[in-house]
Every structure is written in C-alpha cells, then in structure tokens.
C-alpha cells in the first residue's frame, strides 16, 4: 500500500510544512514547503499524469524562491 511519505527538508531533514499547492502544467502540481527549523523554502513537483499511480515526487526544485546562498 502507498503510504504518504513525510516531506523532509533536503537541507536539515526536519519535517517540512506544506505551505501551498500551485497548479502547474497539466498533470503536475507544485507543492511549496517551508522548513520550520532552517526557514528554507523549497518546492516539490508532484506527477499526477497517470491516474493508476499514486502521486509521486519527481524531484526538488531548488533556488526558485530565493537567491542561492
Ligand atoms: Zn531545514
């Protein structure tokens, strides 16, 4: 069975908080997370193309919302 994975901050591994879900191109949506520990903001792209598959993460998008440090 698919179990909903916890989303961990890629920087510090604290569980991130889902801030919002933005509809992306068809078949995708973009989930914006904030880390309560290090205040990192990062986005996860959920692939919703195939209804037979559970939404799965396709990778982190870094540096979209803030300049690189
Ligand atoms: Zn963090």
């Amino acid at each position: 069975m698919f179990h909903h994975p916890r989303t961990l901050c890629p920087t510090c591994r604290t569980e991130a908080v889902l801030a919002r879900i933005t509809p992306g191109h068809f078949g995708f949506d973009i989930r914006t997370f904030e880390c309560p520990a290090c205040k990192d903001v990062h986005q996860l792209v959920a692939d919703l193309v195939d209804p037979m598959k559970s939404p799965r993460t396709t990778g982190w998008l870094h540096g979209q919302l803030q300049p690189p440090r």
Side-chain angles (χ1 to χ4, degrees):
M1 289 294 293
F2 176 81
H3 65 279
H4 192 73
R6 289 192 297 175
T7 302
L8 301 181
C9 174
T11 302
C12 71
R13 297 297 180 184
T14 298
E15 186 171 352
V17 177
L18 179 61
R20 61 192 167 96
I21 299 176
T22 304
H25 298 292
F26 72 94
F28 292 90
D29 62 23
I30 299 171
R31 300 178 186 194
T32 302
F33 292 87
E34 293 181 6
C35 174
C38 71
K39 307 304 180 185
D40 190 28
V41 176
H42 38 272
Q43 295 181 316
L44 196 62
V45 177
D47 179 358
L48 304 176
V49 169
D50 188 342
M52 295 302 291
K53 289 188 286 189
S54 298
R56 62 184 175 84
T57 58
T58 55
W60 293 99
L61 298 177
H62 291 286
Q64 298 294 312
L65 299 179
Q66 56 186 324
R69 280 173 285 188

